[in-house]
Amino acid sequence: MAASLLAAMVVSACAGPAVGTGAYRRSADRALTAMSGTLASADLATRLDQDGRMFYTVTADAVTNAEDDASSIAQSFTTRQPPSTADAQLGSRVSEALDAASGALRDLRVAVRQRHEAAVRSALTEIARAQAECRRLQQDLQ
Amino acid sequence: MSLLRLTLGVMTAIGGFVDIGNIVTSGVTGARFGMTLTWAVLLGTIGMSLFGEMAGRVAAVARRPVFHVVRERLGVRMSLANMAASTALNVLTLAAEIGGVALVLQVVTGVPYLVWVPVVGVGGWLVVWKLPFSVMEQVFGLLGLTMIVFVVALFVLPTDWSALWHQATHPVVPADEGAATWWFYAISLVGACMVPYQVTFFSSGGREEQWTTKDLTEMRLNTFVGFPLGGLLSLAIMAVAVPVLAPRDIAVNHIGEVVLPVAAALGRVGLALALLSFFVATFAAATECALSSGYTVAQYMGWSWGKLRPPFGSARFHLVCLAALIAATGFVLTTIDPITITIFAVVLGAAAIPLTYFPLLVVANDARYMGEHTNGRVVNALGTVVLVALVALSVATLPLLVVTRAGQ
């Protein structure tokens, strides 16, 4: 049971290679969607905290998880090999956006952990910018 | 039978219905699919109520534990598969529950969940060892009712009720999601409602409390009122995600995200109650899972069992409970994400439903054990329909698990 469960977990967790342009663009879209959601999650938790609706530990946990998730999303996409030069250019733009989003979440986590109000506000602005970039790229992919 | 006792029983059943599986799957599906998978919760809740009532009736009428009767009626080999599947699922579910409690403690304290895992394991064992059955059932069940905060939040949030109703009554795959993923989570919701340990715990609890045919009314109230109201709590967790998480494309990956809508609606008080309800629901489920492992094995083997007896009088039963807790704690300490364990537990649980519930249907129809209390036509018809639907779902489970990469 344990062995088959572990095997199932491994098989289901494996990311398949992007074999064509369509698959590569879909993986880019999925990564951008996931990143948008991660950014939104951290943003919501932090804004609720600013409104006095959260406990500090819950907010800190939310932004830490968001940073970890963002790092995982960016890393997962970067390991995919683009099938063509045009896709490589697209991939580069997407990777840049994902890295920027990861950076914004890192800044937010640091600011929240330090309870630095001004830095939190600044990081939220950075997050809004990263979200807008992710959305713009998603529209380009349509 | 006093009204107070009846009310207490129903409230306990409501609070005890929801566990880590319901919390995670309802949160994930509400955020991703809106209310389009309401039907899966309804199917799971109907199934749980039907088979829970059968198990309770067997315990009250035959005055013997379910697994004991199953072994006698179906033979040692056939019931061995039932026992093995139930025990393996119990341990996996126990791991998910322990991980869930630890995750809640991480959210509350800021201390990493892996530090909490052994503490939760020891705490669970102490409850199994020391706390009287009735106290355990009622304290956890009643505190679990704090989950009603999700229903309150739903009314405070700017909920579009007509949109929720439309989604619930028009179960179609959302445009931006794949059909395979939608079906995968449908199975996970059914599995979360029909985890085998709940039936084992419910019927064995009946024997612990020495139910007789006089207790059938109370037992039926628990299953036909308490469980469906528990299902409503699952739907409330799903529904609050729709106005708050879904519009922001927040896919629930962490337990802390499930409580964000409550914080948005009710602030810190609501958040504290939601976290308390998660802690109680998962911790209670952990102890119930550990006990169910002991019940299952001891009843199959014909050993002395139960919390009413002192531990030295049912040593092997307590040893199995302890072994299950150690195995589950060790599994979570491998650092596999508890949310992933939960998804696998409910999905594999759904796949094994025919194996774990079919023998119950057979026993509940056997007049030698049940006398005049065998299943009626309506119960048999509904039970068969549910079981056939579940067989169809269980066949699709493993392919969907691989195709969707566990619902990603």
Side-chain angles (χ1 to χ4, degrees):
Chain A
M1 174 74 184
S4 59
L5 175 66
L6 281 172
M9 283 180 170
V10 168
V11 169
S12 63
C14 288
V19 288
T21 294
Y24 187 73
R25 289 172 78 89
R26 275 195 299 279
S27 73
D29 187 47
R30 272 199 301 270
L32 290 166
T33 305
M35 187 60 87
S36 287
T38 303
L39 289 165
S41 175
D43 180 79
L44 176 63
T46 311
R47 288 185 193 281
L48 288 172
D49 190 63
Q50 287 180 321
D51 292 345
R53 292 177 164 271
M54 292 277 272
F55 297 114
Y56 167 72
T57 53
V58 183
T59 312
D61 186 67
V63 294
T64 304
N65 286 333
E67 187 192 1
D68 291 345
D69 289 349
S71 168
S72 169
I73 293 164
Q75 199 175 3
S76 175
F77 178 74
T78 310
T79 55
R80 289 184 181 269
Q81 190 175 341
S84 69
T85 313
D87 290 323
Q89 284 173 346
L90 169 78
S92 168
R93 284 169 60 207
V94 172
S95 289
E96 271 175 35
L98 297 177
D99 289 341
S102 292
L105 285 166
R106 186 179 55 245
D107 292 346
L108 180 64
R109 192 253 308 158
V110 171
V112 167
R113 291 272 178 193
Q114 292 178 339
R115 305 188 193 211
H116 193 305
E117 283 295 321
V120 168
R121 281 196 296 275
S122 165
L124 285 176
T125 309
E126 221 182 311
I127 279 181
R129 207 175 296 134
Q131 269 185 305
E133 179 61 11
C134 286
R135 276 194 220 104
R136 199 176 60 75
L137 279 170
Q138 275 185 289
Q139 280 169 356
D140 289 352
L141 282 167
Q142 301 301 315
Chain B
M1 192 183 331
S2 70
L3 184 64
L4 175 69
R5 189 179 155 187
L6 279 178
T7 310
L8 199 63
V10 171
M11 288 167 78
T12 305
I14 298 168
F17 185 85
V18 180
D19 69 353
I20 187 71
N22 302 91
I23 292 168
V24 169
T25 54
S26 293
V28 171
T29 52
R32 287 183 66 167
F33 309 110
M35 298 301 287
T36 58
L37 286 171
T38 301
W39 65 269
V41 177
L42 291 179
L43 176 65
T45 306
I46 290 169
M48 185 62 205
S49 299
L50 280 171
F51 285 93
E53 191 274 339
M54 280 182 221
R57 187 155 31 92
V58 169
V61 175
R63 298 196 187 185
R64 288 162 68 183
V66 166
F67 268 92
H68 202 197
V69 181
V70 166
R71 186 190 63 171
E72 191 173 280
R73 175 66 180 77
L74 298 180
V76 174
R77 285 185 186 170
M78 172 105 179
S79 52
L80 179 65
N82 180 292
M83 190 270 283
S86 294
T87 306
L89 277 170
N90 277 344
V91 174
L92 187 60
T93 311
L94 178 54
E97 308 290 356
I98 289 173
V101 181
L103 283 178
V104 175
L105 289 171
Q106 172 182 295
V107 171
V108 173
T109 64
V111 176
Y113 82 93
L114 285 170
V115 175
W116 288 110
V117 169
V119 179
V120 176
V122 172
W125 175 73
L126 282 174
V127 168
V128 168
W129 186 263
K130 287 281 183 190
L131 211 62
F133 187 87
S134 57
V135 175
M136 188 185 104
E137 194 186 22
Q138 286 168 10
V139 168
F140 288 152
L142 294 179
L143 281 176
L145 280 178
T146 48
M147 208 168 276
I148 286 172
V149 75
F150 280 88
V151 179
V152 177
L154 194 55
F155 284 94
V156 175
L157 289 167
T159 306
D160 183 345
W161 292 95
S162 63
L164 285 190
W165 178 252
H166 186 264
Q167 288 173 4
T169 52
H170 294 76
V172 291
V173 184
D176 53 347
E177 293 282 357
T181 314
W182 191 76
W183 279 105
F184 175 82
Y185 278 107
I187 291 170
S188 75
L189 283 166
V190 175
C193 291
M194 293 193 70
V195 277
Y197 84 83
Q198 279 181 331
V199 162
T200 309
F201 180 76
F202 186 65
S203 63
S204 302
R207 292 314 312 138
E208 295 263 23
E209 292 174 343
Q210 298 177 336
W211 284 350
T212 65
T213 48
K214 289 177 185 168
D215 299 299
L216 284 177
T217 306
E218 182 187 355
M219 183 276 292
R220 284 180 175 137
L221 268 175
N222 290 349
T223 52
F224 292 138
V225 179
F227 286 173
L229 289 176
L232 268 184
L233 290 182
S234 290
L235 287 176
I237 296 173
M238 186 189 279
V240 294
V242 179
V244 178
L245 305 181
R248 295 174 170 86
D249 284 333
I250 297 175
V252 171
N253 297 313
H254 307 280
I255 210 160
E257 287 169 324
V258 184
V259 294
L260 288 180
V262 178
L266 303 169
R268 285 181 175 171
V269 174
L271 181 61
L273 288 173
L275 289 170
L276 173 67
S277 72
F278 282 4
F279 173 80
V280 172
T282 47
F283 190 77
T287 57
E288 289 169 11
C289 265
L291 279 169
S292 292
S293 303
Y295 288 142
T296 304
V297 176
Q299 289 168 11
Y300 174 82
M301 301 298 285
W303 297 338
S304 172
W305 60 274
K307 278 177 67 62
L308 282 181
R309 292 184 175 83
F312 66 82
S314 51
R316 286 177 289 193
F317 161 74
H318 277 280
L319 188 64
V320 175
C321 294
L322 178 61
L325 275 163
I326 291 171
T329 303
F331 192 58
V332 187
L333 286 174
T334 59
T335 74
I336 297 174
D337 177 29
I339 301 292
T340 306
I341 296 176
T342 303
I343 297 287
F344 274 84
V346 294
V347 166
L348 293 178
I353 279 173
L355 197 60
T356 48
Y357 285 82
F358 175 69
L360 188 56
L361 190 63
V362 173
V363 169
N365 273 295
D366 194 327
R368 283 175 297 175
Y369 297 102
M370 303 301 291
E372 60 184 302
H373 295 283
T374 51
N375 282 355
R377 284 182 185 174
V378 175
V379 172
N380 266 338
L382 283 172
T384 306
V385 168
V386 169
L387 207 56
V388 168
L390 295 175
V391 168
L393 288 179
S394 69
V395 169
T397 302
L398 290 180
L400 286 175
L401 185 72
V402 175
V403 168
T404 65
R405 290 188 281 133
Q408 287 173 32

